[in-house]
Amino acid sequence: LSLLVLGLGCSSLVWAADDDGFIDLPGDSNDTKPRERPKSRENSSTRSNLPLLYGPPKEWQSFRSTARITCVARIGSSIWAGTQGGGLIRWSLRTQGYRFYVPKIKDLRARTILSLAASPEGDLWIGTAGYGLALLKQGQSRWTFYRSKKELPDGMVQALAWIKGSLWIGTRKGVVRMRRGKWRQWTTRKGLPASDIRAIGHDGQGKIWFSPNISKPFYWTGRTFRKIRRFPVVGASCIISDRKGGLWFCSEQGAVHYKGRKPRLYTVEHGLAGTNVQTIYVDVGGGAWLGTRQR
């Protein structure tokens, strides 16, 4: 994983995920004392070979996993990571301890996590690789699954986003909005421009954006979906809003910045270490951090 910083102008907390673990980089701090090694794990009954690397502030710290990390989310002082076949891992930023959360269902589809989204109440919504949507309420360990055809058109939940009181869900066969316990589905038969949704995001104008696998992005105006005519790539895997009303898109062809109907593609010619952009983070100063995969 490589990082390219565009317009960096502040200190912030930045994370990056790779196949080996989860990394966090603390920003500026007045605390110059080295961190103390915790005396015990958060879950003493769990045995694992997850080594924690400790160091003074302002240095990289790695939270490693024996399973491949697929997605991450933060709720308060906890970092949640979805894995491939291993359920969830939660790290505490206060104690440096960790705990595993695995559903009782032994089906590998339920234990392979593709997407995560945190609600304002602190609950965690979990998108699985074929076993539907799951909910893990704050302070609990029991997984509640949603799999019926009335709730989801498909069990492969590839994208999740909590936007203005609604949970937006992207699946292989369509889009779902869950609001106040009510579910609404859109498929290509019901006006959806394309299916196989890989990413969901929103801009400063109230539009909700979707990126399908083999087509250009489109957005929801509040009443209907509208296609984008001019866009340099297809199959964007992430949609991140900046602080000036624009959007960043990850893709295997590079990173696209979209604002005012004027997309701009960034590639290795602009300084990227590789064209396959897998993650983007926009810090509080407006700087964009681009994580690329080198082949």
Side-chain angles (χ1 to χ4, degrees):
L1 186 70
S2 301
L3 286 176
L4 172 69
V5 185
L6 298 181
L8 178 63
C10 73
S11 60
S12 61
L13 186 64
V14 180
W15 300 280
D18 62 15
D19 287 356
D20 296 324
F22 186 84
I23 304 168
D24 87 82
L25 176 62
D28 291 340
S29 171
N30 294 325
D31 184 8
T32 58
K33 298 180 179 179
R35 292 186 181 146
E36 296 180 356
R37 184 181 297 271
K39 296 180 179 179
S40 62
R41 299 293 191 194
E42 185 176 347
N43 186 355
S44 58
S45 63
T46 303
R47 298 296 180 183
S48 171
N49 56 346
L50 295 183
L52 296 179
L53 304 182
Y54 296 91
K58 300 184 181 180
E59 289 188 4
W60 291 89
Q61 184 176 2
S62 178
F63 294 77
R64 298 188 180 276
S65 169
T66 54
R68 179 181 179 184
I69 291 177
T70 57
C71 51
V72 293
R74 178 173 181 175
I75 302 178
S77 61
S78 295
I79 299 296
W80 293 85
T83 71
Q84 185 173 355
L88 292 167
I89 306 173
R90 179 172 68 90
W91 283 283
S92 171
L93 297 179
R94 288 198 301 261
T95 67
Q96 307 296 324
Y98 62 87
R99 180 179 178 183
F100 291 98
Y101 291 80
V102 181
K104 294 182 178 180
I105 300 169
K106 295 183 179 180
D107 194 319
L108 187 62
R109 297 176 301 168
R111 300 185 176 198
T112 297
I113 313 303
L114 300 180
S115 53
L116 295 172
S119 74
E121 295 78 23
D123 300 329
L124 186 67
W125 290 89
I126 307 159
T128 71
Y131 208 81
L133 182 69
L135 171 62
L136 190 63
K137 285 189 170 292
Q138 185 179 28
Q140 298 183 12
S141 59
R142 179 178 177 271
W143 297 46
T144 301
F145 284 89
Y146 300 86
R147 303 183 62 207
S148 73
K149 292 296 182 180
K150 293 182 180 180
E151 296 160 343
L152 300 175
D154 183 70
M156 189 76 72
V157 180
Q158 301 174 136
L160 290 172
W162 194 276
I163 304 172
K164 295 183 178 180
S166 297
L167 178 66
W168 289 88
I169 307 161
T171 74
R172 287 185 303 181
K173 296 183 179 180
V175 170
V176 181
R177 182 186 67 190
M178 194 280 290
R179 181 167 60 188
R180 299 174 183 175
K182 297 181 179 180
W183 305 75
R184 182 179 178 182
Q185 297 184 19
W186 290 271
T187 62
T188 52
R189 294 182 179 181
K190 298 180 180 180
L192 196 69
S195 57
D196 200 0
I197 306 301
R198 294 299 179 92
I200 304 174
H202 64 98
D203 60 21
Q205 290 75 44
K207 301 173 185 175
I208 301 174
W209 290 74
F210 305 88
S211 176
N213 183 29
I214 56 174
S215 183
K216 297 178 181 179
F218 57 88
Y219 62 88
W220 169 254
T221 64
R223 294 184 178 182
T224 186
F225 293 97
R226 291 186 180 178
K227 300 179 182 179
I228 297 297
R229 294 182 179 180
R230 181 186 172 193
F231 205 79
V233 302
V234 297
S237 58
C238 78
I239 305 175
I240 308 297
S241 60
D242 64 18
R243 297 181 177 274
K244 296 183 179 180
L247 291 172
W248 284 96
F249 294 82
C250 305
S251 84
E252 293 183 355
Q253 296 83 44
V256 178
H257 187 255
Y258 186 91
K259 184 179 181 182
R261 299 182 181 180
K262 295 180 179 180
R264 182 177 181 182
L265 176 63
Y266 290 88
T267 65
V268 291
E269 296 179 356
H270 301 92
L272 269 70
T275 56
N276 190 343
V277 179
Q278 297 190 317
T279 184
I280 298 175
Y281 174 82
V282 178
D283 62 33
V284 294
W289 297 69
L290 281 61
T292 66
R293 179 179 180 179
Q294 293 177 276
R295 294 181 177 178

